[in-house]
């Protein structure tokens, strides 16, 4: 990883036994913003210094875009000449601990990739009617668990639960046999709306602070037995993971790509004047305990049918209130090519087409001690924005 | 309302322009615990006074049961002789504002009444197979929205959204025409478990601080169009409401009633040594703008198939972590008698059997300016525990 001056993300770090602070990163150098503030570098911006000496970014984000973008612009100016800054503000990334950057209030998971929804529908329902009737009319979503979202580097134990592969037999209790990943992006909400006040789709991006890589770990066998009629629960809430750096939406301005017209036409509250996605390359890598490394897929944040602005407009059209720090995940981002499918469920087509590893081993779903790494970056005409990675290892069931 | 010495619940109050503090209530007198602490009444208990001068109960609850029960016992002793306390600690309940008592982290809604699940299954699926195959094997649940849970007395606007009553036609945008209530109880989590650590069903009640009345407001027409395959979303997250006083689980010790044996036998992690429910009478009252008042139903917290202990054991069996202040709602509590059904959906059987009001008007679902009041109490051999009420009025769509 080599974070550029075009990125300037925000995160939370600590050095051993010291308290958490707000940071950015340039190259592989974590930059201590509390120290910069203490030294007076942000004095012109009239920002309370306490927002930088903080366990989470929420207070910083709550300053609003005018302030946070001013900090980002100041950092771009300062970090263009890093030699003029005191050494005390820099830390090798390998010498610090990176923490969950945002205190997440509510977490919502969307289901916004047409190819993903089609793949799942083909496997589990009628292949001729893979998309459900509501899918092209509204961005389907459900509420997820915020407490079990952890930062990259946190490992977790294979979850246990009820499985019932043959419903003519009673269910049994077991560690999941179908542990999967979902390649997603998470949107960090940067501004609250009041209860009862819908957010206009054309103003929705003002409510976005930025984005992170997101892995929506899933236990497919637990999911199959539990999810009708109220949706996924224990199949998802055992663990989710995010990358440590939040990339401000402003960094992605050069990477907007126009979205195709939607057919059928959506209802007016979902119609956008400037419909766009973000061209961010995404890849998923599997590392096994025996040293195999294989790229599972290569997708892109633009492989969605519903924009983040539409997700926000839909989420609030009934008056639901979003808060600073809420997380909206995109749902699995699968492109049209089979090599761009964002889950093992799709890549192995429900376990029927195993992935061959370099040493001859196979994977249908994940084994203990497998590590999954999601990486992301945007690059165009000399501008490069890095998302870093989210990396976690599966430990055996407790 | 006339809260007894057997109740001694906890809540958050403020008097005009003053800060929020922790309180209890006796009769109709709100008791200022911050003032009692300030005056030294809790000095023997070695509790930091700041937990009482607080916007939420979470810090108080986090002290743990040994401390919070000691405060409750001290209050029962002090309030047995209220004349010996200074007047400054008492406020008429009509002179104060009561606030959301707990900062809710994650909110989960269960679906634990057999009669409710059967009624819904009969209306929407196959009457001969009303319960889905998983229902008697696990306490079905889904994650809900924490941000839109408000305290009794808060009113809200009728939500708008996509409706599609006839799926051969496209959906349209409208205020909901099928606004409903759900009579529920909410469990306030009082102790956290670590990620990866399941809670044993026989120890689960140690993780319960107490209970509140809960109204899970629902838009049935929005729900019908959106909920397959990932569950309810905008049909629920526009507004939910809780009563202002949290009743500690210890107050309900005299009201434990043994639960029937479950058939089929549940998996070992759900088998309880001392399986019990709580005998708490619940009623729902409708008041209309024109002055009608009618009791919609009379149910009981014991009308459940899954105990709260089983809900907690199931929720964490995959390692999911609960935090202090998380809320677990029971799902609609419907008994076997039609007069005990806990939603208009069931009471009017999907709108087919309207409720006749005293002035000859009818209700299938709620009209603007209708007020719903849920009340609860437990009474036995001279011991009475009051839950107070949760009361909200439907305002017209914005």
């Amino acid at each position: 990883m080599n974070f550029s001056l075009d990125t300037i993300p925000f995160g939370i770090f600590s050095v051993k036994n010291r308290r958490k602070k707000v940071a950015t990163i340039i190259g592989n150098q974590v930059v201590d913003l509390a120290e910069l503030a203490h030294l007076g570098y942000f004095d012109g911006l009239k920002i309370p210094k306490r927002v930088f000496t903080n366990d989470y970014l929420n207070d910083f984000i709550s300053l609003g875009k005018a302030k946070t973008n001013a900090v980002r612009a100041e950092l771009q100016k300062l970090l263009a000449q890093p030699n003029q800054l005191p050494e005390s503000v820099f830390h090798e990334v390998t010498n610090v601990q990176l923490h969950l950057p945002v205190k997440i209030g509510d977490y919502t998971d969307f289901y916004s990739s047409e190819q993903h929804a089609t793949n799942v529908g083909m496997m589990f329902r009628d292949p001729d009617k893979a998309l459900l009737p509501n899918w092209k009319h509204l961005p389907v979503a459900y509420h997820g668990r915020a407490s079990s979202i952890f930062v990259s580097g946190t490992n977790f134990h294979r979850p246990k639960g009820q499985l019932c592969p043959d419903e003519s037999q009673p269910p049994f209790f077991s560690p999941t046999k179908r542990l999967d990943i979902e390649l997603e992006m998470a949107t960090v909400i940067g501004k609250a709306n009041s209860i009862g006040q819908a957010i206009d789709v054309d103003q929705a991006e003002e409510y976005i602070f930025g984005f992170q890589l997101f892995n929506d770990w899933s236990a497919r066998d637990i999911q199959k037995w539990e999810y009708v009629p109220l949706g996924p629960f224990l199949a998802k809430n055992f663990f989710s993971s995010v990358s440590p750096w939040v990339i401000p939406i402003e960094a992605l301005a050069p990477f907007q790509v126009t979205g195709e017209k939607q057919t059928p036409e959506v209802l007016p509250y979902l119609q956008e004047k400037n419909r766009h996605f973000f061209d961010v390359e995404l890849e998923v890598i599997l590392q096994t305990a025996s040293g195999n490394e294989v790229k599972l897929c290569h997708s892109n944040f633009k492989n969605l049918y519903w924009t983040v602005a539409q997700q926000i407009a839909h989420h609030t059209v009934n008056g639901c209130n979003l808060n600073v720090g809420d997380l909206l995940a995109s749902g699995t981002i699968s492109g049209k090519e089979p090599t761009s499918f964002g889950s093992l469920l799709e890549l192995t087509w429900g376990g029927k087409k195993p992935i061959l590893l370099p040493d001859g081993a196979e994977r249908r779903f994940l084994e203990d001690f497998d590590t999954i790494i999601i990486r992301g970056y945007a690059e165009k005409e000399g501008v490069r924005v890095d998302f870093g990675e989210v990396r976690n290892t599966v430990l055996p069931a407790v």
Side-chain angles (χ1 to χ4, degrees), chain A:
Chain A
M1 273 167 295
N2 187 25
F3 288 86
S4 70
L5 214 49
D6 301 316
T7 309
I8 308 295
F10 294 99
I12 297 289
F13 87 108
S14 66
V15 284
K16 208 177 173 186
N17 299 326
R18 303 291 293 276
R19 65 164 301 179
K20 296 180 186 174
K21 301 179 191 176
V22 173
T24 187
I25 184 166
I26 184 88
N28 61 3
Q29 297 289 310
V30 171
V31 184
D32 179 342
L33 303 198
E35 181 72 3
L36 280 176
H38 175 69
L39 295 170
Y41 283 93
F42 301 140
D43 281 0
L45 304 178
K46 302 203 183 309
I47 290 173
K49 288 179 176 139
R50 61 174 166 71
V51 303
F52 297 110
T53 308
N54 211 304
D55 290 355
Y56 294 103
L57 292 176
N58 299 52
D59 289 348
F60 174 68
I61 296 171
S62 297
L63 296 172
K65 277 188 184 296
K67 295 284 190 194
T68 58
N69 283 335
V71 170
R72 191 160 172 272
E74 187 66 25
L75 286 168
Q76 284 176 317
K77 206 175 73 183
L78 293 170
L79 295 170
Q81 298 186 296
N83 296 337
Q84 300 191 11
L85 290 173
E87 274 183 32
S88 64
V89 306
F90 293 106
H91 300 269
E92 285 273 352
V93 68
T94 48
N95 291 341
V96 307
Q97 189 173 357
L98 299 176
H99 302 277
L100 187 70
V102 174
K103 171 83 176 163
I104 301 163
D106 280 293
Y107 154 54
T108 303
D109 195 20
F110 283 84
Y111 188 55
S112 289
S113 149
E114 181 174 357
Q115 191 63 51
H116 172 66
T118 302
N119 289 343
V120 171
M122 285 174 74
M123 272 184 269
F124 292 133
R125 289 180 293 267
D126 183 349
D128 294 328
K129 294 177 188 167
L131 283 186
L132 287 163
N134 59 15
W135 201 89
K136 290 210 163 181
H137 292 284
L138 54 85
V140 171
Y142 66 102
H143 291 293
R145 181 90 195 164
S147 73
S148 52
I149 301 176
F150 289 82
V151 75
S152 177
T154 313
N155 301 327
F156 67 97
H157 294 278
R158 176 180 296 271
K160 297 185 285 193
Q162 291 195 23
L163 315 184
C164 192
D166 173 2
E167 293 195 11
S168 71
Q169 300 295 317
F172 56 91
F173 188 72
S174 168
T176 176
K177 299 172 182 183
R178 304 192 127 210
L179 183 62
D180 200 356
I181 53 146
E182 294 195 339
L183 165 60
E184 305 198 13
M185 291 288 280
T187 300
V188 177
I189 295 297
K191 187 167 118 179
N193 66 309
S194 301
I195 185 87
Q197 299 296 317
I199 296 173
D200 186 282
V201 70
D202 289 319
Q203 278 149 26
E205 288 198 350
E206 295 170 23
Y207 291 78
I208 300 174
F209 177 72
F211 302 103
Q212 292 167 277
L213 305 169
F214 191 84
N215 191 343
D216 181 22
W217 298 83
S218 301
R220 300 298 177 193
D221 38 12
I222 295 174
Q223 187 171 351
K224 180 169 179 287
W225 174 233
E226 74 171 0
Y227 93 106
V228 176
L230 298 181
F233 182 56
L234 299 189
K236 301 276 193 174
N237 67 12
F238 58 92
F239 187 75
S240 314
S241 54
V242 289
S243 54
W245 299 105
V246 186
I247 315 303
I249 186 172
E250 289 73 17
L252 295 185
F255 303 100
Q256 289 188 11
V257 288
T258 303
E260 283 179 31
K261 193 173 172 321
Q262 293 176 303
T263 310
E265 189 175 66
V266 294
L267 284 166
Y269 79 92
L270 293 169
Q271 290 174 13
E272 301 162 279
K273 287 203 180 76
N274 166 19
R275 174 171 165 75
H276 62 263
F277 294 96
F278 299 99
D279 184 6
V280 178
E281 302 288 343
L282 301 169
E283 58 180 35
V284 182
I285 290 130
L286 165 66
Q287 288 177 347
T288 70
S290 60
N292 287 291
E293 178 163 323
V294 61
K295 187 189 285 195
L296 293 179
C297 79
H298 185 131
S299 189
N300 191 299
F301 190 20
K302 71 185 177 187
N303 290 335
L304 296 173
Y305 188 80
W306 297 102
T307 66
V308 180
Q310 289 179 310
Q311 293 172 348
I312 290 172
H314 183 65
H315 204 317
T316 61
V317 75
N318 67 346
C320 181
N321 54 326
L322 304 182
N323 287 317
V324 170
D326 287 349
L327 216 63
L328 312 186
S330 58
T332 310
I333 304 174
S334 296
K336 291 200 191 310
E337 297 300 316
T339 53
S340 67
F341 293 172
S343 67
L344 287 168
L345 179 72
E346 296 162 86
L347 289 163
T348 71
W349 210 252
K352 288 185 193 131
K353 300 181 193 171
I355 290 166
L356 196 66
L357 303 182
D359 69 356
E362 292 182 343
R363 280 295 180 283
R364 288 171 170 80
F365 292 96
L366 295 173
E367 304 282 334
D368 291 343
F369 303 109
D370 280 353
T371 296
I372 291 289
I373 305 156
I374 298 177
R375 294 202 179 104
Y377 65 94
E379 192 157 28
K380 184 185 168 187
E381 296 167 8
V383 179
R384 182 176 165 108
V385 172
D386 276 292
F387 280 74
E389 66 178 33
V390 52
R391 172 195 295 255
N392 314 85
T393 300
V394 179
L395 303 177
V398 177

